[in-house]
Each structure stands twice: as C-alpha cells, then as structure tokens.
Amino acid sequence: MIEFDRVSIALGDFLLDEVSLSIKKEDYYCIMGPSGAGKTIVLEAIAGLLVPDDGRILYNGVDVRGIPPEKRRIGLVYQDYSLFPHMNVQKNIAFGMRMRHLPDHEITSRVRQLMRQFGIEHIASRAPLTLSGGEQQRVAIARALAIEPELLLLDEPLSALDPVTREQFIDELRTIHRDQGLTIVHVTHDRRDAVSLGTRMAMIIDGRLVQEDRVGTIFSSPHGEQVARFIGYENILNGTVTSCDGGVCLVDIGGMREVAVVAGAKRGARVALCIRADNITVFKTDGKETSARNLFSGPIIRKSVSGSLATITVNIGVEITALVTSKSAEELDLDIGVTVGISFKATSVHLIHKPTPV
C-alpha cells in the first residue's frame, strides 16, 4: 500500500537517510525508535506534509509526489491532538467533511454515528480545552475517521493517557483495526504499543531504518545492540566465541566465564549476547538444582522494587540484571551484599554478531 523507496529528507541538521520500507494493506504498522529518531518525519511524509529530497513514496504503486495531503484519503492524529480550540466537538469532527464539501445531511449523520461509536455524544457542544486527555483523544480519532480514510496515521497517541484510559484506547484501536480493516501506522517510543497492537514494525534510529519485520520477529531477534536495548533486553554481554558443537556455542565473556548459547557462529567471532531480565532465575546458593546450561554466582549489588516486581543486579564479574517477584525477593532475603546464584537457559540468549575490526 505504502512504499518508501530510498527516501531522504533533510530538516536542519537532521537527515532521514535513504529509508526504504513497505506498509501493506490492513497492517497495524508500528514505527519505533528513540526521541529524535525521525519517526514523525516518516509519518508526515506519508501524509504529504513533507516532500522527499530524494527517493520516492508510492501509494498503491503510484508516486504521490505532487499530490496534496487533502487528496490522499489519509487521517492524521498528532500527539497533542491538534483540535481546533474555537470549534466545539461536533464541529471539530465535521471539519474534514466540510472541507470536502459533502452534503449537510451526510455530515450530520456521520458525525452522530462517530460520536455514538466513541461514546462522546454528551460532550458534542463542549470546547476542546474543557475536555480530559481521553476525551480529546476520542474526538481527534473521530475527526480523523470522519473522512473515511484508507490509512490512519497516529503520532504517539497513547503517551499522554493515564494507565486505565490507555488500556481502554488500546482496546478501541484494536477494534477499529479489526472491524474496519483499516491500515494504521502508529508512531511510538513505547514497546508496549507495538506488542499490544502491531502486526509489523520498523525500527528507526538516528534517521536510518535499522530493522523492519513482524513485531514478534524483531522482539525475539533484534539485528543489532541498539535495537536490542531499545526493545528491552536488559543484559547485553560482549564476548568471543570459543567453540561450537551440535548447535551450541560457548562464548567467553571474560574472567574465565563462558556462556552457552544455541546459535551458529565461528570460533573467534566477536558477538553480543542479549538476555532478558525475566529469563534469569535467581536463587540461594544452597543446593539449587536446574537444567539450565548457564550457572553463575555473585553478590547482589543493586536492588529496586516497583509494585509486585523487584529488579536485582548481580555481579558475576560482569553485571547481570534479573527480574523477580517482590514476594520472592522477600522470601529469599534478596538484599544488597547477599551472594546468590543465577541461571538462564542457552535457548534464552540471543546472539548478535559484531562487526570485525578493520
């Protein structure tokens, strides 16, 4: 449906650098990356608000250069909602249809249907500045959908919402995508959005596309350390492959410590080992039995508790971060200075090959 063919856009000192990506019809496509990576620039280029300096943007196979935003049948919702402060809710929702000179009876019917769908009939005459964040969000999405777009663009739509309202909106966006078969492009820096909603995603870092794939594939097999860190691998250990046998490699991470990982690699290869904190088991060192290939011990050097979970950092010569329940941390007396064992399975380690030094 949407294809970027080596698109470059320069804005001041920032460069979106030869980005090529493909958004398919009925995708819920997430664009992820840190702040300032260029995510919103991609969104605005799709909408027609920015024109590439180089490369092409194809919409259903047609180069859209020169086609103005209002001719693209695209709905856009910004992070700050961008509602018109001088118009009430009803007029905000109707705005796009009036710009397209639709008949009054059609506009009235469509506005009523959308207000009913989003549960905002009771605020029809209210001004945007009198609304809560959740209410403004509903109005903004209703306004974007009023023109019956083929493509809905969302720029950080959940970032300003409280946790309860956020979960409600995730359900609503999921329903819109499923029931309307709408193609949605959702810019976010929050991995929870991609996991909850996305079918495919792109990772953009420093203006470059670093990985594009199905959401599950990127989260399980990041291509580089930057991607791994951003999507939540708390432990990234550098090392060198010492041997490989039967599909299991041993990686020297320093100090005579070796980590077993299920992967293919050549002896001597420089690699990074990525391990999620919730894949690491923490236990007292008195007779723990485990089938895990990787067993280490060391003192706890940091501990933090947040609600029902505790984050434990253990020094095994390198620092390893593990996630346990607060109840387990209390029952096992997991406090700073206590020596504990940690274990993790070889299958829970993702191996990334590092560039060979020149």
Side-chain angles (χ1 to χ4, degrees), residues 237 240 242-243 248-253 257-261 273 275 293-294 296 316 318 320 344-346 349:
L237 310 177
T240 303
T242 57
S243 66
V248 176
C249 294
L250 294 180
V251 178
D252 179 7
I253 59 172
R257 293 175 303 277
E258 288 187 324
V259 173
V261 53
L273 304 181
I275 314 161
R293 292 286 298 269
N294 298 299
F296 304 96
I316 65 167
V318 294
I320 297 285
F344 50 92
K345 295 182 178 181
V349 184

Side-chain angles (χ1 to χ4, degrees), residues 88-119:
N88 64 22
V89 166
Q90 190 167 344
K91 290 179 179 179
N92 261 282
I93 296 172
F95 178 79
M97 292 183 286
R98 295 209 178 279
M99 291 297 98
R100 287 162 173 77
H101 306 292
L102 298 179
D104 285 346
H105 72 276
E106 187 175 331
I107 293 174
T108 300
S109 175
R110 179 71 172 151
V111 169
R112 286 176 178 170
Q113 180 261 317
L114 285 165
M115 288 195 298
R116 188 164 53 249
Q117 177 182 343
F118 285 97

Side-chain angles (χ1 to χ4, degrees), residues 81 123 126 128-138 161 165:
Y81 315 132
I123 59 172
R126 298 257 302 271
L129 293 179
T130 70
L131 306 178
S132 69
E135 289 169 337
Q136 290 185 56
Q137 180 69 284
R138 286 184 170 86
L161 302 180
T165 306

Side-chain angles (χ1 to χ4, degrees), residues 319-333:
E319 294 184 7
I320 297 285
T321 298
L323 198 63
V324 300
T325 66
S326 300
K327 183 178 180 180
S328 294
E330 183 179 354
E331 290 176 347
L332 295 172
D333 295 323

Side-chain angles (χ1 to χ4, degrees), residues 76-207:
L76 173 60
V77 178
Y78 277 111
Q79 181 178 359
D80 62 0
Y81 315 132
S82 298
L83 298 174
F84 302 117
H86 62 289
M87 296 182 183
N88 64 22
V89 166
Q90 190 167 344
K91 290 179 179 179
N92 261 282
I93 296 172
F95 178 79
M97 292 183 286
R98 295 209 178 279
M99 291 297 98
R100 287 162 173 77
H101 306 292
L102 298 179
D104 285 346
H105 72 276
E106 187 175 331
I107 293 174
T108 300
S109 175
R110 179 71 172 151
V111 169
R112 286 176 178 170
Q113 180 261 317
L114 285 165
M115 288 195 298
R116 188 164 53 249
Q117 177 182 343
F118 285 97
I120 53 177
E121 296 166 288
H122 62 292
I123 59 172
S125 61
R126 298 257 302 271
L129 293 179
T130 70
L131 306 178
S132 69
E135 289 169 337
Q136 290 185 56
Q137 180 69 284
R138 286 184 170 86
V139 175
I141 293 178
R143 184 179 65 180
L145 293 176
I147 61 170
E148 297 184 318
E150 293 180 343
L151 181 64
L152 179 62
L153 308 179
L154 305 174
D155 187 11
E156 301 277 9
L158 307 174
S159 61
L161 302 180
D162 63 81
V164 174
T165 306
R166 174 191 171 85
E167 290 304 315
Q168 291 172 347
F169 258 100
I170 286 175
D171 287 340
E172 290 181 16
L173 289 172
R174 190 182 291 118
T175 298
I176 291 168
H177 177 246
R178 182 189 66 234
D179 293 351
Q180 299 186 23
L182 189 62
T183 305
I184 298 177
V185 181
H186 179 145
V187 162
T188 183
H189 65 270
D190 193 324
R191 55 183 176 265
R192 294 175 299 173
D193 295 355
V195 171
S196 300
L197 292 163
T199 56
R200 297 177 61 248
M201 63 181 284
M203 283 292 306
I204 294 181
I205 297 176
D206 295 332

